[in-house]
Amino acid sequence: METIGFERHDHACCIQDGIAAVDAQCRDAGLQFTPVRRRVLEFLLAEHRALGAYEILDMLREEGLGSQPPVAYRALDFLVSNGFAHKIERLNAFAACSHPGTAHAPVFMICRICASVAEAQADTPISMFGHLAKNAGFTIERAVVEAEGVCPNCQDTSPT
Amino acid sequence: METIGFERHDHACCIQDGIAAVDAQCRDAGLQFTPVRRRVLEFLLAEHRALGAYEILDMLREEGLGSQPPVAYRALDFLVSNGFAHKIERLNAFAACSHPGTAHAPVFMICRICASVAEAQADTPISMFGHLAKNAGFTIERAVVEAEGVCPNCQDTSPT
DNA sequence: GACCTTGTGTTATTTTATAACATATCGAAG
DNA sequence: CTTCGATATGTTATAAAATAACACAAGGTC
């Protein structure tokens, strides 16, 4: 139920702590947290918005870490499939996970004005839609929940 | 809270009733329910799964109703922006609305095995995530909710 | 040292979506 | 009735997002 995202905060910590947490988890799980993968996660952690794969690819290219789409997509696959990042389906873009290592039922809030993305942890998909699924006889395995609207920082500006 | 989707049913009615409802709404609202738009909605209603834009385009092409992508995308835009169809973000595909004309907070259930899509009506995004948004100071305008899993008809088959 | 696994480099292609401009239809205003 | 504006469609071209397929490299293990 906790949300971190739109508040002011020490942003350096976002990156450091995020990387450290994933580093530790990779060591525990025997996953290779390679330079490309680490750098991509850093890019994602550096902004509280979702980055497109090609945007990431451009950043990698500037650093000589890879120049072709599969490089970016492979790193993103690694991060997403291990729960270190999420794909924001609505945007065809990717965001670092704010709660790496914890049980996952992310709810994303996407600001239509500044494009920032915050991740809230809800309980489980079951607790939210379990009753609907049960009615239908459907077994939920995973849920995409993405709310669009206006973040607190853009609330006053442009009422449209 | 009602779900129609995975049950056996008189499928001809899905199409007839769906078209009739949208036809009526268009007349009321002064919207043009043109042949292309009508046909695209029929394609969507004909299957309880999501169709890709290019899949729809192929069907239009076979009937001589248009052969270039914008034709399909424009018809889909019309249907989606008037609430007669929905985009399933997870699939980059489109499905007819099961509840045209009613207040909208659709929850989609996507079967990973047979690819069928059912639409349930939840209350409002607010009732589902309002507390999360409130914590964050976020104003929800729209929500994408898509659950993936296994539909009742595929439940027994292939436990993977 | 041969082999296997995992990750990266690279080329090419597929899939999804839109920009931009031309043409057509139709009702309302003049 | 004809000119205009609004809306819809036709068409060409291109952009944006994603993946297939194969080659190479590094590191561990038998």
mmCIF file of all heavy atoms in Angstrom, chain B residues 53-54 69-70 73-74 87 92 94, chain C residues 15-22 26:
data_model
loop_
_atom_site.group_PDB
_atom_site.id
_atom_site.type_symbol
_atom_site.label_atom_id
_atom_site.label_comp_id
_atom_site.label_asym_id
_atom_site.label_seq_id
_atom_site.Cartn_x
_atom_site.Cartn_y
_atom_site.Cartn_z
ATOM 1 N N ALA B 53 -4.483 -4.950 -35.532
ATOM 2 C CA ALA B 53 -4.931 -4.008 -36.549
ATOM 3 C C ALA B 53 -4.677 -4.565 -37.949
ATOM 4 O O ALA B 53 -5.498 -4.380 -38.856
ATOM 5 C CB ALA B 53 -4.213 -2.668 -36.368
ATOM 6 N N TYR B 54 -3.578 -5.259 -38.120
ATOM 7 C CA TYR B 54 -3.240 -5.761 -39.447
ATOM 8 C C TYR B 54 -4.056 -6.991 -39.810
ATOM 9 O O TYR B 54 -4.308 -7.247 -40.985
ATOM 10 C CB TYR B 54 -1.737 -6.015 -39.562
ATOM 11 C CG TYR B 54 -0.973 -4.725 -39.792
ATOM 12 C CD1 TYR B 54 -0.758 -3.822 -38.768
ATOM 13 C CD2 TYR B 54 -0.513 -4.399 -41.060
ATOM 14 C CE1 TYR B 54 -0.095 -2.630 -38.991
ATOM 15 C CE2 TYR B 54 0.157 -3.210 -41.300
ATOM 16 C CZ TYR B 54 0.372 -2.321 -40.265
ATOM 17 O OH TYR B 54 1.019 -1.139 -40.492
ATOM 18 N N PRO B 69 -3.021 0.568 -43.928
ATOM 19 C CA PRO B 69 -3.144 0.604 -42.466
ATOM 20 C C PRO B 69 -4.014 1.722 -41.916
ATOM 21 O O PRO B 69 -4.832 1.461 -41.024
ATOM 22 C CB PRO B 69 -1.687 0.743 -42.003
ATOM 23 C CG PRO B 69 -0.884 0.102 -43.074
ATOM 24 C CD PRO B 69 -1.632 0.359 -44.356
ATOM 25 N N PRO B 70 -3.906 2.932 -42.398
ATOM 26 C CA PRO B 70 -4.713 3.987 -41.784
ATOM 27 C C PRO B 70 -6.206 3.697 -41.804
ATOM 28 O O PRO B 70 -6.928 4.147 -40.916
ATOM 29 C CB PRO B 70 -4.372 5.227 -42.628
ATOM 30 C CG PRO B 70 -2.989 4.969 -43.096
ATOM 31 C CD PRO B 70 -2.949 3.494 -43.383
ATOM 32 N N TYR B 73 -6.749 1.571 -38.748
ATOM 33 C CA TYR B 73 -6.482 2.321 -37.521
ATOM 34 C C TYR B 73 -7.527 3.399 -37.287
ATOM 35 O O TYR B 73 -7.893 3.677 -36.159
ATOM 36 C CB TYR B 73 -5.074 2.912 -37.547
ATOM 37 C CG TYR B 73 -4.032 1.892 -37.171
ATOM 38 C CD1 TYR B 73 -3.230 1.280 -38.125
ATOM 39 C CD2 TYR B 73 -3.865 1.511 -35.839
ATOM 40 C CE1 TYR B 73 -2.285 0.334 -37.777
ATOM 41 C CE2 TYR B 73 -2.921 0.572 -35.479
ATOM 42 C CZ TYR B 73 -2.128 -0.024 -36.448
ATOM 43 O OH TYR B 73 -1.205 -0.965 -36.098
ATOM 44 N N ARG B 74 -8.010 4.001 -38.359
ATOM 45 C CA ARG B 74 -9.006 5.046 -38.173
ATOM 46 C C ARG B 74 -10.325 4.473 -37.683
ATOM 47 O O ARG B 74 -10.974 5.044 -36.803
ATOM 48 C CB ARG B 74 -9.183 5.844 -39.459
ATOM 49 C CG ARG B 74 -7.998 6.801 -39.654
ATOM 50 C CD ARG B 74 -8.264 7.820 -40.734
ATOM 51 N NE ARG B 74 -8.246 7.210 -42.049
ATOM 52 C CZ ARG B 74 -7.536 7.659 -43.078
ATOM 53 N NH1 ARG B 74 -6.762 8.722 -42.934
ATOM 54 N NH2 ARG B 74 -7.591 7.067 -44.231
ATOM 55 N N LYS B 87 -8.726 -1.185 -26.623
ATOM 56 C CA LYS B 87 -7.415 -1.699 -26.979
ATOM 57 C C LYS B 87 -6.905 -2.547 -25.827
ATOM 58 O O LYS B 87 -6.944 -2.113 -24.669
ATOM 59 C CB LYS B 87 -6.435 -0.558 -27.246
ATOM 60 C CG LYS B 87 -5.054 -1.103 -27.606
ATOM 61 C CD LYS B 87 -4.124 -0.056 -28.167
ATOM 62 C CE LYS B 87 -2.872 -0.734 -28.685
ATOM 63 N NZ LYS B 87 -1.845 0.241 -29.103
ATOM 64 N N ASN B 92 -1.322 -5.483 -27.898
ATOM 65 C CA ASN B 92 -1.382 -4.564 -29.034
ATOM 66 C C ASN B 92 -2.468 -5.006 -29.987
ATOM 67 O O ASN B 92 -2.241 -5.203 -31.179
ATOM 68 C CB ASN B 92 -0.030 -4.498 -29.756
ATOM 69 C CG ASN B 92 1.033 -3.832 -28.917
ATOM 70 O OD1 ASN B 92 0.758 -2.896 -28.179
ATOM 71 N ND2 ASN B 92 2.246 -4.337 -28.996
ATOM 72 N N PHE B 94 -7.141 -5.406 -30.379
ATOM 73 C CA PHE B 94 -8.395 -4.727 -30.077
ATOM 74 C C PHE B 94 -9.527 -5.727 -29.879
ATOM 75 O O PHE B 94 -9.565 -6.769 -30.527
ATOM 76 C CB PHE B 94 -8.737 -3.767 -31.217
ATOM 77 C CG PHE B 94 -7.668 -2.722 -31.433
ATOM 78 C CD1 PHE B 94 -6.540 -3.011 -32.196
ATOM 79 C CD2 PHE B 94 -7.770 -1.469 -30.838
ATOM 80 C CE1 PHE B 94 -5.534 -2.057 -32.379
ATOM 81 C CE2 PHE B 94 -6.780 -0.517 -31.024
ATOM 82 C CZ PHE B 94 -5.649 -0.809 -31.790
ATOM 83 P P DT C 15 5.303 -10.672 -39.110
ATOM 84 O OP1 DT C 15 4.851 -11.972 -38.576
ATOM 85 O OP2 DT C 15 4.852 -10.189 -40.449
ATOM 86 O "O5'" DT C 15 4.919 -9.546 -38.046
ATOM 87 C "C5'" DT C 15 5.466 -9.592 -36.738
ATOM 88 C "C4'" DT C 15 5.097 -8.330 -36.009
ATOM 89 O "O4'" DT C 15 5.942 -7.233 -36.448
ATOM 90 C "C3'" DT C 15 3.652 -7.874 -36.219
ATOM 91 O "O3'" DT C 15 3.130 -7.690 -34.924
ATOM 92 C "C2'" DT C 15 3.795 -6.586 -37.034
ATOM 93 C "C1'" DT C 15 5.145 -6.078 -36.566
ATOM 94 N N1 DT C 15 5.916 -5.155 -37.435
ATOM 95 C C2 DT C 15 6.451 -4.017 -36.877
ATOM 96 O O2 DT C 15 6.288 -3.728 -35.710
ATOM 97 N N3 DT C 15 7.176 -3.233 -37.722
ATOM 98 C C4 DT C 15 7.426 -3.460 -39.058
ATOM 99 O O4 DT C 15 8.107 -2.675 -39.716
ATOM 100 C C5 DT C 15 6.848 -4.660 -39.587
ATOM 101 C C7 DT C 15 7.068 -4.985 -41.031
ATOM 102 C C6 DT C 15 6.125 -5.445 -38.765
ATOM 103 P P DT C 16 1.632 -7.213 -34.668
ATOM 104 O OP1 DT C 16 1.215 -7.782 -33.371
ATOM 105 O OP2 DT C 16 0.846 -7.440 -35.883
ATOM 106 O "O5'" DT C 16 1.819 -5.639 -34.475
ATOM 107 C "C5'" DT C 16 2.480 -5.140 -33.321
ATOM 108 C "C4'" DT C 16 2.510 -3.645 -33.385
ATOM 109 O "O4'" DT C 16 3.330 -3.217 -34.493
ATOM 110 C "C3'" DT C 16 1.152 -2.975 -33.586
ATOM 111 O "O3'" DT C 16 0.960 -2.106 -32.489
ATOM 112 C "C2'" DT C 16 1.284 -2.242 -34.914
ATOM 113 C "C1'" DT C 16 2.782 -2.026 -35.013
ATOM 114 N N1 DT C 16 3.333 -1.849 -36.378
ATOM 115 C C2 DT C 16 4.139 -0.753 -36.648
ATOM 116 O O2 DT C 16 4.421 0.081 -35.801
ATOM 117 N N3 DT C 16 4.607 -0.667 -37.926
ATOM 118 C C4 DT C 16 4.362 -1.556 -38.968
ATOM 119 O O4 DT C 16 4.835 -1.363 -40.082
ATOM 120 C C5 DT C 16 3.513 -2.676 -38.613
ATOM 121 C C7 DT C 16 3.183 -3.689 -39.665
ATOM 122 C C6 DT C 16 3.051 -2.773 -37.358
ATOM 123 P P DA C 17 -0.330 -1.145 -32.402
ATOM 124 O OP1 DA C 17 -0.512 -0.753 -30.990
ATOM 125 O OP2 DA C 17 -1.421 -1.781 -33.163
ATOM 126 O "O5'" DA C 17 0.140 0.142 -33.206
ATOM 127 C "C5'" DA C 17 1.237 0.904 -32.704
ATOM 128 C "C4'" DA C 17 1.454 2.112 -33.590
ATOM 129 O "O4'" DA C 17 1.915 1.706 -34.883
ATOM 130 C "C3'" DA C 17 0.209 2.954 -33.836
ATOM 131 O "O3'" DA C 17 0.389 4.173 -33.137
ATOM 132 C "C2'" DA C 17 0.156 3.118 -35.365
ATOM 133 C "C1'" DA C 17 1.556 2.715 -35.806
ATOM 134 N N9 DA C 17 1.661 2.123 -37.150
ATOM 135 C C8 DA C 17 1.057 0.990 -37.623
ATOM 136 N N7 DA C 17 1.370 0.711 -38.876
ATOM 137 C C5 DA C 17 2.230 1.735 -39.249
ATOM 138 C C6 DA C 17 2.919 2.026 -40.442
ATOM 139 N N6 DA C 17 2.828 1.269 -41.543
ATOM 140 N N1 DA C 17 3.698 3.127 -40.465
ATOM 141 C C2 DA C 17 3.786 3.886 -39.361
ATOM 142 N N3 DA C 17 3.202 3.721 -38.175
ATOM 143 C C4 DA C 17 2.425 2.613 -38.188
ATOM 144 P P DT C 18 -0.715 5.347 -33.248
ATOM 145 O OP1 DT C 18 -0.647 6.066 -31.977
ATOM 146 O OP2 DT C 18 -1.987 4.818 -33.752
ATOM 147 O "O5'" DT C 18 -0.093 6.304 -34.363
ATOM 148 C "C5'" DT C 18 1.297 6.565 -34.313
ATOM 149 C "C4'" DT C 18 1.728 7.425 -35.475
ATOM 150 O "O4'" DT C 18 1.846 6.630 -36.677
ATOM 151 C "C3'" DT C 18 0.775 8.563 -35.827
ATOM 152 O "O3'" DT C 18 1.565 9.725 -35.965
ATOM 153 C "C2'" DT C 18 0.171 8.152 -37.152
ATOM 154 C "C1'" DT C 18 1.349 7.394 -37.754
ATOM 155 N N1 DT C 18 0.996 6.438 -38.833
ATOM 156 C C2 DT C 18 1.666 6.509 -40.029
ATOM 157 O O2 DT C 18 2.542 7.329 -40.260
ATOM 158 N N3 DT C 18 1.276 5.587 -40.953
ATOM 159 C C4 DT C 18 0.298 4.616 -40.807
ATOM 160 O O4 DT C 18 0.033 3.843 -41.711
ATOM 161 C C5 DT C 18 -0.361 4.604 -39.531
ATOM 162 C C7 DT C 18 -1.442 3.599 -39.269
ATOM 163 C C6 DT C 18 0.012 5.496 -38.610
ATOM 164 P P DA C 19 0.882 11.196 -36.004
ATOM 165 O OP1 DA C 19 1.125 11.788 -34.665
ATOM 166 O OP2 DA C 19 -0.490 11.122 -36.541
ATOM 167 O "O5'" DA C 19 1.785 11.966 -37.066
ATOM 168 C "C5'" DA C 19 3.067 11.432 -37.403
ATOM 169 C "C4'" DA C 19 3.507 11.984 -38.739
ATOM 170 O "O4'" DA C 19 3.210 11.023 -39.789
ATOM 171 C "C3'" DA C 19 2.812 13.276 -39.148
ATOM 172 O "O3'" DA C 19 3.761 14.061 -39.856
ATOM 173 C "C2'" DA C 19 1.699 12.781 -40.063
ATOM 174 C "C1'" DA C 19 2.364 11.602 -40.749
ATOM 175 N N9 DA C 19 1.455 10.540 -41.187
ATOM 176 C C8 DA C 19 0.462 9.952 -40.465
ATOM 177 N N7 DA C 19 -0.180 9.005 -41.124
ATOM 178 C C5 DA C 19 0.441 8.981 -42.362
ATOM 179 C C6 DA C 19 0.230 8.207 -43.520
ATOM 180 N N6 DA C 19 -0.701 7.266 -43.609
ATOM 181 N N1 DA C 19 1.012 8.433 -44.590
ATOM 182 C C2 DA C 19 1.956 9.378 -44.495
ATOM 183 N N3 DA C 19 2.259 10.181 -43.461
ATOM 184 C C4 DA C 19 1.450 9.920 -42.414
ATOM 185 P P DA C 20 3.412 15.608 -40.222
ATOM 186 O OP1 DA C 20 4.694 16.331 -40.123
ATOM 187 O OP2 DA C 20 2.233 16.071 -39.467
ATOM 188 O "O5'" DA C 20 3.004 15.520 -41.765
ATOM 189 C "C5'" DA C 20 3.741 14.656 -42.626
ATOM 190 C "C4'" DA C 20 3.096 14.655 -43.998
ATOM 191 O "O4'" DA C 20 2.225 13.509 -44.129
ATOM 192 C "C3'" DA C 20 2.222 15.882 -44.263
ATOM 193 O "O3'" DA C 20 2.462 16.284 -45.599
ATOM 194 C "C2'" DA C 20 0.809 15.360 -44.078
ATOM 195 C "C1'" DA C 20 0.973 13.947 -44.627
ATOM 196 N N9 DA C 20 -0.038 12.987 -44.206
ATOM 197 C C8 DA C 20 -0.752 12.955 -43.036
ATOM 198 N N7 DA C 20 -1.604 11.949 -42.956
ATOM 199 C C5 DA C 20 -1.444 11.277 -44.155
ATOM 200 C C6 DA C 20 -2.053 10.131 -44.688
ATOM 201 N N6 DA C 20 -2.983 9.427 -44.051
ATOM 202 N N1 DA C 20 -1.655 9.733 -45.922
ATOM 203 C C2 DA C 20 -0.718 10.444 -46.559
ATOM 204 N N3 DA C 20 -0.065 11.541 -46.162
ATOM 205 C C4 DA C 20 -0.479 11.906 -44.938
ATOM 206 P P DC C 21 1.995 17.811 -46.073
ATOM 207 O OP1 DC C 21 3.202 18.447 -46.617
ATOM 208 O OP2 DC C 21 1.168 18.471 -45.043
ATOM 209 O "O5'" DC C 21 1.074 17.454 -47.324
ATOM 210 C "C5'" DC C 21 1.579 16.509 -48.277
ATOM 211 C "C4'" DC C 21 0.426 15.825 -48.965
ATOM 212 O "O4'" DC C 21 -0.249 14.936 -48.058
ATOM 213 C "C3'" DC C 21 -0.667 16.797 -49.471
ATOM 214 O "O3'" DC C 21 -0.916 16.504 -50.821
ATOM 215 C "C2'" DC C 21 -1.838 16.462 -48.573
ATOM 216 C "C1'" DC C 21 -1.595 14.964 -48.387
ATOM 217 N N1 DC C 21 -2.427 14.332 -47.345
ATOM 218 C C2 DC C 21 -2.949 13.066 -47.595
ATOM 219 O O2 DC C 21 -2.675 12.517 -48.667
ATOM 220 N N3 DC C 21 -3.739 12.477 -46.665
ATOM 221 C C4 DC C 21 -4.017 13.109 -45.528
ATOM 222 N N4 DC C 21 -4.801 12.489 -44.651
ATOM 223 C C5 DC C 21 -3.490 14.408 -45.243
ATOM 224 C C6 DC C 21 -2.707 14.977 -46.167
ATOM 225 P P DA C 22 -1.834 17.505 -51.727
ATOM 226 O OP1 DA C 22 -0.940 18.094 -52.741
ATOM 227 O OP2 DA C 22 -2.657 18.381 -50.860
ATOM 228 O "O5'" DA C 22 -2.806 16.465 -52.445
ATOM 229 C "C5'" DA C 22 -2.267 15.267 -53.013
ATOM 230 C "C4'" DA C 22 -3.416 14.318 -53.332
ATOM 231 O "O4'" DA C 22 -3.909 13.752 -52.090
ATOM 232 C "C3'" DA C 22 -4.607 15.014 -53.997
ATOM 233 O "O3'" DA C 22 -5.099 14.194 -55.052
ATOM 234 C "C2'" DA C 22 -5.616 15.161 -52.876
ATOM 235 C "C1'" DA C 22 -5.313 13.949 -52.004
ATOM 236 N N9 DA C 22 -5.656 14.138 -50.598
ATOM 237 C C8 DA C 22 -5.236 15.134 -49.755
ATOM 238 N N7 DA C 22 -5.717 15.040 -48.539
ATOM 239 C C5 DA C 22 -6.509 13.906 -48.587
ATOM 240 C C6 DA C 22 -7.297 13.263 -47.614
ATOM 241 N N6 DA C 22 -7.422 13.699 -46.360
ATOM 242 N N1 DA C 22 -7.963 12.146 -47.996
ATOM 243 C C2 DA C 22 -7.834 11.711 -49.258
ATOM 244 N N3 DA C 22 -7.117 12.234 -50.254
ATOM 245 C C4 DA C 22 -6.478 13.341 -49.843
ATOM 246 P P DC C 26 -23.402 11.433 -49.984
ATOM 247 O OP1 DC C 26 -24.058 10.149 -49.687
ATOM 248 O OP2 DC C 26 -23.584 12.100 -51.299
ATOM 249 O "O5'" DC C 26 -23.805 12.466 -48.844
ATOM 250 C "C5'" DC C 26 -23.160 12.422 -47.557
ATOM 251 C "C4'" DC C 26 -23.393 13.735 -46.855
ATOM 252 O "O4'" DC C 26 -22.296 14.644 -47.134
ATOM 253 C "C3'" DC C 26 -24.669 14.450 -47.335
ATOM 254 O "O3'" DC C 26 -25.355 14.958 -46.228
ATOM 255 C "C2'" DC C 26 -24.126 15.560 -48.220
ATOM 256 C "C1'" DC C 26 -22.837 15.902 -47.456
ATOM 257 N N1 DC C 26 -21.846 16.668 -48.237
ATOM 258 C C2 DC C 26 -20.998 17.569 -47.570
ATOM 259 O O2 DC C 26 -21.110 17.691 -46.349
ATOM 260 N N3 DC C 26 -20.100 18.286 -48.280
ATOM 261 C C4 DC C 26 -20.016 18.135 -49.604
ATOM 262 N N4 DC C 26 -19.106 18.858 -50.254
ATOM 263 C C5 DC C 26 -20.865 17.224 -50.310
ATOM 264 C C6 DC C 26 -21.756 16.525 -49.600
#
